[in-house]
Amino acid sequence: MKKYILNSLMAILTISSISCSTDSEEQLSGHNDLVIEFDNGFNGNDLLLNTSGYESINQEQLKISRLNYIVSNFKLTTASGTVFTYPKNDSYFIINKETGHTEVVLKEVPAGEYASISFGIGVDQEKYLQGAEGQGDFLSLAEANEMMWAWQAGYKFLNYEGSFTTATTAEAQNFKVHMGSHGSSLDNYRALSLALPSSALVSSELKPVIHLAVDASKILNGQYQLSLEEKSVIMVDENKSPQIAENLTGMFRVDHVHNGASGTH
């Protein structure tokens, strides 16, 4: 009898929870912008370019001068499971720590109570294989931000540069970590999905900001560990480039969501 009552209560609570979520979403209407802020850091600290004091693996001390990366193909999923896919041709953005361009603004997002966000790191093969003429304005934007090799090699998904010293070498050496798909021969595009700690509410009156904490230390010290002392220039590398691509998927987490009135940030 007690088990029956407990099961009945659980069923009621589940139905009530779904109903509340549905009712909440039905009260939201219209469209608005949704902002995604990329807060770049390093192992829990703020990332300041051209400043020493960031330690990678093997006691390598880094001075980071550049952190640029491409994010793309944004999708938002509501609490009830409805997926909004941002228009593909408009869904390619460059995060550039040097210029301070660290946010993505998704325009005209339909009203909803969004519980997760998905996006890609880099440019997918479908887009790249449209050729240079199919890239629209993004091609020139990538070139201006030094996020291109020659067209046949393709986009740089990551442009990470600076200098480093080691425990045995006090003289600074430069490093360059450029990762991309290298044309159509090696696909290093990766996608990830992140649950939000609280729903992002979009309506004609509400314009939410999703703050992502980005940990640049994961580039070299994530699922795979890479030593700059072993190789300080990583570009077209059949072994290390896919490892960096996998590391980048662990670089992002949602810190918090700010649900503000339209026009506020």
Side-chain angles (χ1 to χ4, degrees):
M1 183 64 177
K2 287 182 179 179
K3 185 176 180 181
Y4 172 79
I5 294 172
L6 180 61
N7 288 340
S8 297
L9 286 172
M10 290 295 292
I12 292 169
L13 287 172
T14 301
I15 293 169
S16 175
S17 175
I18 294 171
S19 177
C20 288
S21 176
T22 303
D23 290 345
S24 175
E25 289 187 46
E26 288 177 350
Q27 292 172 6
L28 301 172
S29 62
H31 295 73
N32 213 328
D33 295 349
L34 183 144
V35 179
I36 304 131
E37 181 67 37
F38 292 78
D39 299 322
N40 296 296
F42 193 101
N43 196 25
N45 299 309
D46 291 338
L47 176 58
L48 303 175
L49 296 183
N50 301 307
T51 302
S52 300
Y54 301 108
E55 185 171 309
S56 185
I57 64 172
N58 301 327
Q59 296 181 310
E60 294 173 347
Q61 301 294 321
L62 310 184
K63 179 186 286 187
I64 300 162
S65 60
R66 171 171 292 160
L67 175 63
N68 301 345
Y69 48 92
I70 297 173
V71 288
S72 59
N73 295 317
F74 283 83
K75 295 181 181 180
L76 300 164
T77 303
T78 68
S80 60
T82 301
V83 178
F84 168 67
T85 301
Y86 199 66
K88 186 172 181 60
N89 287 339
D90 300 323
S91 198
Y92 297 85
F93 305 89
I94 295 172
I95 303 301
N96 188 326
K97 179 67 175 175
E98 288 178 281
T99 63
H101 188 81
T102 58
E103 72 175 25
V104 165
V105 180
L106 304 183
K107 302 284 189 180
E108 290 294 304
V109 175
E113 181 180 343
Y114 293 100
S116 67
I117 182 171
S118 303
F119 59 92
I121 306 168
V123 177
D124 54 286
Q125 287 291 295
E126 179 184 349
K127 182 68 172 176
Y128 175 73
L129 292 175
Q130 291 177 1
E133 67 281 357
Q135 307 305 302
D137 294 337
F138 187 72
L139 180 57
S140 59
L141 180 65
E143 290 173 336
N145 284 270
E146 299 190 51
M147 298 302 285
M148 284 290 301
W149 286 298
W151 173 249
Q152 291 302 318
Y155 291 98
K156 300 175 187 176
F157 300 171
L158 170 73
N159 189 337
Y160 183 50
E161 298 181 358
S163 61
F164 72 102
T165 59
T166 70
T168 57
T169 306
E171 184 178 353
Q173 305 174 62
N174 292 329
F175 73 84
K176 291 185 178 182
V177 178
H178 299 171
M179 188 277 295
S181 279
H182 317 315
S184 58
S185 61
L186 182 61
D187 187 3
N188 286 321
Y189 174 81
R190 298 292 186 273
L192 68 152
S193 182
L194 301 171
L196 305 182
S198 60
S199 294
L201 305 179
V202 177
S203 73
S204 54
E205 292 81 27
L206 294 173
K207 175 184 175 181
V209 181
I210 299 173
H211 288 264
L212 299 185
V214 184
D215 184 0
S217 74
K218 299 295 186 183
I219 296 171
L220 299 175
N221 189 17
Q223 180 179 345
Y224 297 94
Q225 294 190 337
L226 296 93
S227 169
L228 292 172
E229 186 174 23
E230 176 189 333
K231 188 170 186 179
S232 61
V233 178
I234 301 173
M235 293 189 184
V236 181
D237 191 304
E238 292 185 358
N239 295 316
K240 294 186 184 300
S241 292
Q243 292 177 346
I244 293 169
E246 291 299 326
N247 282 354
L248 292 187
T249 64
M251 189 168 73
F252 305 89
R253 69 172 179 83
V254 182
D255 186 71
H256 65 280
V257 177
H258 174 69
N259 288 306
S262 184
T264 65
H265 198 294

